Amino acid sequence: MPSSTTRRQFVARSAGVSLAALLPQGVFSDSSVAQSVVVRPVSEIGTVRPEMHSHFAEHLGSCVYGGLWVGKGSRIPNVNGYRKAAVDYLKELGIPVLRWPGGCYADNYHWRDGIGPVEKRPKRVNANWNNAMEDGSFGLHEFIGLCRLIGAEPYLSVNVGSGTAQEALDWIEYCNFPKGTTLSDERIANGAPEPFQVQYWGVGNEAWGCGGNMTPDHYADVYRQFATYMKSFGGTRSFLVACGPSGNNTQWTKGFFDRMQGTRVSLGAFAMHYYENGSLAPTAYNADAMNRQLTTFQLVEQAIVAQRAQIDAYNRQPRVGLILDEWGVWDRLNGPEQQRYGQLWQQSTMRSAVAAGLGLNIFNRHAEKLFMCNIAQIANVLQSVLLTDGPQGEHCIRTTTYHAFALFKAHRSKMAVKVENAATGPLDLSVSASKSGVELIVSLVNPKADTDVRVECSLDGKTAKSASARILHHKDLNAANTFESPDTIVPVAHPVQAAGSSIRLDLPALSVATVAVQLG
Ligand code: AHR
């Protein structure tokens, strides 16, 4: 069966099923194609770990200061210094894991600078990011407090580039040792009687770049040294994450794992960074530039497959997890917004939502290969889910990326199942599915700027008793939620037809949709 037909052919074949009649007037253009996909509810891939929907917060621009944290005395509504609107929105979305304090900043940061009475904390220069003054007022206790408020597991990135193994070991002891040692008693004196129970520990960040400009051999030796001392305390197992490659750099992975052969030091996961770079300013894209950027996701998918295979070939036990520690669209950033709102502040548009959907679909389709994925970053930096109008600004809005993540939330903890989709081009309809009991969740992304898709999705012989859908869509790829108009693009209910062992829906150009199907 051809994977695509013209709209006229599809309508004729659909024998009287007029989906167009269900759609709001004017939503669908004449340049549409039909697309058949098959979801196989019994072909299991792996669990969609909620951790694949995780986030990252760095001391950079207005991500932390002025974004998540406004301080206790602020006129901006806050909960003990945390921006109230941000807390509310993040709680609603659900943040499985939050990585902190960097990024590049992590290899500059000495954790003791962020504990104890705020007025006594040293003032430092954030040398990675604009030489910003860092007063340490958002430190470890404030970070753990935020995680507790929003229900996130903390993930601490340890300073390897300019720190020591002793400093790393002390940080774990301070966090996780119950009581009775000088460090654990210091934590208690600082107001935290219970251990923080931090599981995730990143051993450096981008060791091949801002984290020390190391060779893979050298980093592996440093990793071995740090991992020897980064112990577990108080019943919380320290899960250690090594720096993986930039993109699909297999030489880095080979160099690291070759050098790790024969060692028994703990290695929980290996973390790749893969940004989807773009050539234009966030709200000034054209279709060509968007297509070039979105095409990168095909390379991300290849990287996940290649890195997973490369790691598995070393057969380390237990299996080393693959983490996509930083990902997201990184547009051309300059100009007044950086001055006004903070470094790497980036508007999230309909294009960004499509990008988020493409990424999240890939993670579902490779669920058995991935341990965690952290989009960069959670607020005001790159592809963030929240934007505020600068450090002093009262506005806090949910971006299109926030809403794309919300549409994928239903997949969390479900079993990803196989989808057969004959259209495999990087800009073709992208589909993923997951299942739990009789509930089947199907996510579809139409990344094309000007082609609507009429989808017939076969359920491989299973019957759809009912189906409902929500969609995020705007016909302008540069449209965005702004401070003046924060709900320009939000998910809305969308027509879908449960037709025996198929579901049918129309996806306008530039859309992200999730369908919940009750199987018979
Ligand atoms: O997310 C911004 C920066 O990108 C991070 O600090 C670094 O790890 C990466 O290069």
Side-chain angles (χ1 to χ4, degrees), residues 188-240:
I188 294 167
N190 284 334
E194 297 305 323
F196 289 147
Q197 298 181 318
V198 178
Q199 301 176 54
Y200 300 121
W201 296 88
V203 184
N205 170 77
E206 296 191 352
W208 35 263
C210 64
N213 276 305
M214 301 180 201
T215 62
D217 289 18
H218 179 59
Y219 174 65
D221 289 346
V222 171
Y223 178 87
R224 289 163 62 145
Q225 182 202 354
F226 270 66
T228 302
Y229 297 100
M230 292 177 70
K231 305 284 192 195
S232 300
F233 299 119
T236 301
R237 191 173 68 90
S238 294
F239 183 93
L240 304 186

Side-chain angles (χ1 to χ4, degrees), residues 56 58 60 103-105 129 205-206 210 273 275 326 330 344 376-377 382:
F56 163 40
E58 179 167 12
L60 194 184
C104 295
Y105 180 68
W129 301 114
N205 170 77
E206 296 191 352
C210 64
H273 288 187
Y275 284 98
E326 295 183 24
W330 190 324
L344 300 194
Q377 297 191 9
L382 301 176

Side-chain angles (χ1 to χ4, degrees), residues 157-218:
S157 216
V158 158
N159 182 341
V160 167
S162 67
T164 63
Q166 181 68 57
E167 186 180 358
L169 171 63
D170 287 350
W171 205 4
I172 302 177
E173 183 185 331
Y174 182 92
C175 287
N176 292 351
F177 202 87
K179 61 179 179 183
T181 65
T182 302
L183 281 168
S184 57
D185 286 348
E186 189 178 5
R187 180 198 72 236
I188 294 167
N190 284 334
E194 297 305 323
F196 289 147
Q197 298 181 318
V198 178
Q199 301 176 54
Y200 300 121
W201 296 88
V203 184
N205 170 77
E206 296 191 352
W208 35 263
C210 64
N213 276 305
M214 301 180 201
T215 62
D217 289 18
H218 179 59

Side-chain angles (χ1 to χ4, degrees), residues 125 189 255 264:
V125 174
R264 297 173 66 99

Side-chain angles (χ1 to χ4, degrees), residues 65-128:
Y65 297 110
L68 304 168
W69 177 255
V70 292
K72 292 178 183 161
S74 175
R75 64 184 170 77
I76 298 171
N78 67 87
V79 186
N80 291 327
Y82 306 102
R83 186 187 281 267
K84 184 171 181 325
V87 168
D88 291 346
Y89 288 147
L90 295 176
K91 265 163 89 169
E92 193 181 331
L93 183 60
I95 305 297
V97 175
L98 185 58
R99 175 173 179 254
W100 176 85
C104 295
Y105 180 68
D107 285 288
N108 249 181
Y109 183 64
H110 297 281
W111 66 270
R112 292 199 65 90
D113 290 351
I115 60 167
V118 174
E119 59 286 358
K120 291 203 174 139
R121 296 183 192 175
K123 293 184 173 45
R124 307 273 187 213
V125 174
N126 184 339
N128 278 294

